[in-house]
Amino acid sequence: MSRVYPFDDAATARAVIGEDGTLTEWNEGARRLLGHPAEEVVGRSAALLLAGEVTPRTPDGTRWDGTVELRHRDGRTVPVWLLAHHSTAQDEQPGHWLVVSPLAGSGPRTPDDPLTTAALTQSPCAIAVYDDQLRLRRVNDAMAEVIGLPEERIQGLRVTEIGGKPESADLERNMLRVLASGRPLDVQTYMRTGGEDRAHAWLARMAPVTDAAGRVRGVSLAAHDFTENYLARERLQLVNAASVRIGSTLDVIRTAQELADVCVPALADFVTVDLLDPPEHGGDLPARLTAPVTLRRTAHQSVLPGVPEAILKPGQTEVYPASSPQADSLTAGHTIVASVASGALDQWLSWNKARGERVREFGVHSSMSVPIQARGTTLGVAVFRRHRRPDPFGPDDELLAEEITARAAVCIDNARRYSRERDTALALQRSLLPRTLPRTAALQAASRYLPAARAGVGGDWFDVIPLSGLRVAMVVGDVVGHGVQASATMGRLRTAVRTLADIDLAPDELLTHLDDLVLRLSAEQGGEGSPGEVGATC
């Protein structure tokens, strides 16, 4: 008896044999088995207890079992089944062997012995047994709780008749495979059973039930709930997918669509992304928002083809009043989770009757609105809804949606900044390039401008300059790089070429002066002691 095991340990014969073969421990159970008290055997060789002329041999490995004939104190020989463990841990006397043997069985078992039936009925693992017709014969208490019906009500029914779901038909098909092949099979499924208020992930371990002759007489099914591991793995996969798929381009609409695509169906059944329009005359979006809020539908996605749940089409705007999920989450600045059953969406759905009809038609039951924020600026809102998945949004779903939306927000903000810079550069470029070519008697000129830069905004330029004496100068140039900086440099060089051409310099002299200008521009753009990187061809 010990603090860890507060029962009589004499029901097991136990001895410890040291590395040199001597007995170091001998309990009361060993005395009951062989009659030797501890003081007679401890410190002596264990080989003295062996009956007959047997040379002891150290077993291989860390465990050994077998029957050995031992010598009783009264001289008779006792055959004993032994189980020996070799200890290698430093805190458990390395090199020692723990040798044990049960002294007696637990006696005959009665049919109503709770320990006899506990293996099936009281097991915490949900277990069901089906016959060779795949009709239910037995379920334990855990499985009856999962199904939500008592055993006597469902005996004789098939899985599909008990569950009535597509997943039930899949289980029955796999049970038929086990029945036909005689080999066990593991199947994973995510579903809500009749006895559950939300869906769970189940590992169904199916094995054949055989008789004494080895014939398959049925199938046993043990269901293990691994929902937490399943959801954790799903969340990790979704975060990884979001980091790869969102932000593949510097396009606001494409990025918003990637956010919606990556969350369906892994997180939600229907996702909408609505963004604020940028200010008409430039500048930043307002730091704080108040209802009503005007948003433009930028992207949406659904588990159903054609996104039939949507009221708006991409590109359309809507004014969202107070009490709407979009306006409430934007004005509050944080995620808002609401359910239809709680009544939190009643005012919003009654205000927009068309949306209310869609919610009832498709059975939308849970909503989660997440503001799209980046660098201290609110860009819009993403709304996640569920109607096919039966479980509502939980705290883990909220954290996951916020993390994915935050990643997308940075990409959307980058795309907006890029678009704004590109629009500025295009406007600058258009203002600096010639809008029409001059008419001269020397030649007829036509032009087509296709910048080589991928962004469509570069430092390329062209010009046709009338000179004296019916002469014409034709110029094609390119500033290294693209964007606003390249367009501005291009404008300065184009102006310089026109000025130098007006004083009637020869082409080689004009290019020499132009080269000097490029060197000065490089020096101006560089830092202290380091030249810039302005380069141009002409």
Side-chain angles (χ1 to χ4, degrees):
M1 184 180 297
S2 67
R3 287 180 299 176
V4 177
Y5 184 75
F7 307 105
D8 181 16
D9 61 359
T12 301
R14 188 174 72 251
V16 176
I17 303 174
E19 195 170 5
D20 57 357
T22 61
L23 286 163
T24 60
E25 290 186 26
W26 188 264
N27 78 334
E28 175 62 19
R31 188 200 65 77
R32 294 179 186 178
L33 178 66
L34 298 178
H36 301 282
E39 58 268 17
E40 290 184 2
V41 294
V42 172
R44 302 179 66 184
S45 173
L48 297 175
L49 297 176
L50 296 174
E53 299 296 329
V54 180
T55 303
R57 180 178 63 85
T58 302
D60 297 328
T62 60
R63 195 180 78 172
W64 177 90
D65 71 279
T67 301
V68 177
E69 291 186 345
L70 299 178
R71 195 186 310 279
H72 196 275
R73 191 184 187 203
D74 60 12
R76 59 190 171 90
T77 299
V78 182
V80 180
W81 180 83
L82 299 177
L83 175 64
H85 300 277
H86 187 224
S87 173
T88 57
Q90 294 182 358
D91 56 348
E92 295 182 4
Q93 297 178 310
H96 285 57
W97 285 87
L98 170 65
V99 184
V100 297
S101 179
L103 289 184
S106 58
R109 299 174 181 175
T110 60
D112 59 347
D113 182 3
L115 299 181
T116 303
T117 60
L120 175 64
T121 59
Q122 298 182 32
S123 169
C125 176
I127 301 174
V129 179
Y130 295 81
D131 61 18
D132 55 2
Q133 302 296 313
L134 296 184
R135 300 273 177 186
L136 181 68
R137 293 293 294 273
R138 290 293 308 275
V139 296
N140 67 349
D141 297 342
M143 181 63 83
E145 184 178 354
V146 169
I147 296 174
L149 295 169
E151 181 184 50
E152 60 269 17
R153 297 296 184 186
I154 55 177
Q155 277 183 336
L157 296 180
R158 295 166 49 190
V159 173
T160 52
E161 295 169 339
I162 298 171
K165 294 181 173 62
E167 295 85 358
S168 305
D170 293 337
L171 279 178
E172 188 172 69
R173 281 193 293 269
N174 286 296
M175 290 170 63
L176 184 60
R177 291 173 56 190
V178 174
L179 195 65
S181 66
R183 292 192 296 269
L185 183 66
D186 290 349
V187 176
Q188 294 184 9
T189 183
Y190 187 82
M191 60 183 293
R192 184 173 68 176
T193 63
E196 298 179 311
D197 57 354
R198 60 182 302 168
H200 284 73
W202 296 98
L203 171 62
R205 313 204 75 166
M206 294 171 278
V209 177
T210 58
D211 57 16
R215 293 172 299 183
V216 178
R217 302 298 299 273
V219 178
S220 68
L221 186 152
H224 303 273
D225 185 354
F226 70 110
T227 305
E228 292 302 321
N229 291 338
Y230 174 83
L231 294 179
R233 185 176 61 192
E234 257 203 345
R235 288 191 289 268
L236 181 60
Q237 291 175 346
L238 184 55
V239 171
N240 290 337
S243 63
V244 173
R245 294 173 56 184
I246 298 178
S248 61
T249 63
L250 286 172
D251 181 84
V252 174
I253 297 176
R254 175 73 177 273
T255 304
Q257 188 63 53
E258 289 168 346
L259 169 60
D261 292 344
V262 80
C263 293
V264 175
L267 180 60
D269 300 320
F270 174 43
V271 176
T272 61
V273 180
D274 297 332
L275 298 180
L276 293 161
D277 284 334
E280 293 183 3
H281 303 292
D284 296 326
L285 293 169
R288 295 184 60 85
L289 297 172
T290 57
V293 182
T294 302
L295 297 171
R296 185 176 299 278
R297 175 62 48 83
T298 308
H300 55 211
Q301 187 56 276
S302 169
V303 293
L304 303 176
V307 197
E309 308 97 322
I311 298 296
L312 299 178
K313 295 181 180 180
Q316 294 181 332
T317 61
E318 184 170 1
V319 178
Y320 293 92
S323 78
S324 65
Q326 291 85 347
D328 289 350
S329 61
L330 286 176
T331 55
H334 58 76
T335 301
I336 293 180
V337 179
S339 65
V340 174
S342 67
L345 300 174
D346 288 350
Q347 186 176 354
W348 161 237
L349 297 179
S350 61
W351 181 83
N352 191 314
K353 297 187 181 300
R355 186 169 277 106
E357 291 176 359
R358 296 289 175 90
V359 166
R360 289 187 290 272
E361 177 184 355
F362 294 100
V364 175
H365 59 83
S366 190
S367 171
M368 178 169 56
S369 306
V370 184
I372 302 175
Q373 299 170 326
R375 301 181 179 96
T377 301
T378 300
L379 305 173
V381 61
V383 181
F384 305 82
R385 300 179 181 90
R386 283 181 178 174
H387 54 75
R388 177 169 290 183
R389 289 180 61 163
D391 48 315
F393 291 110
D396 291 335
D397 298 319
E398 185 176 343
L399 291 175
L400 181 60
E402 288 174 348
E403 181 172 354
I404 296 174
T405 303
R407 290 171 180 260
V410 173
C411 297
I412 291 173
D413 188 50
N414 289 340
R416 277 198 161 179
R417 290 170 182 264
Y418 167 77
S419 298
R420 185 169 58 186
E421 180 180 336
R422 181 176 179 274
D423 292 342
T424 302
L426 281 173
L428 177 61
Q429 189 179 62
R430 283 193 294 267
S431 67
L432 295 175
L433 289 173
R435 299 189 178 185
T436 59
L437 296 180
R439 295 179 177 273
T440 65
L443 54 82
Q444 291 181 343
S447 66
R448 186 185 183 195
Y449 185 78
L450 292 174
R454 182 180 302 177
V457 182
D460 311 291
W461 91 89
F462 67 95
D463 209 349
V464 176
I465 307 171
L467 300 175
S468 60
L470 296 180
R471 292 175 303 149
V472 176
M474 292 177 290
V475 186
V476 174
D478 177 25
V479 176
V480 176
H482 58 272
V484 175
Q485 187 65 44
S487 296
T489 302
M490 174 267 288
R492 299 176 70 175
L493 295 180
R494 177 172 177 255
T495 302
V497 170
R498 275 190 162 272
T499 301
L500 294 172
D502 284 342
I503 60 177
D504 211 9
L505 290 178
D508 57 342
E509 293 182 36
L510 186 149
L511 291 176
T512 299
H513 287 289
L514 196 63
D515 190 53
D516 293 338
L517 175 60
V518 171
L519 292 176
R520 286 197 299 272
L521 293 176
S522 294
E524 291 175 3
Q525 292 188 15
E528 296 182 0
S530 60
E533 297 182 353
V534 176
T537 58
C538 184

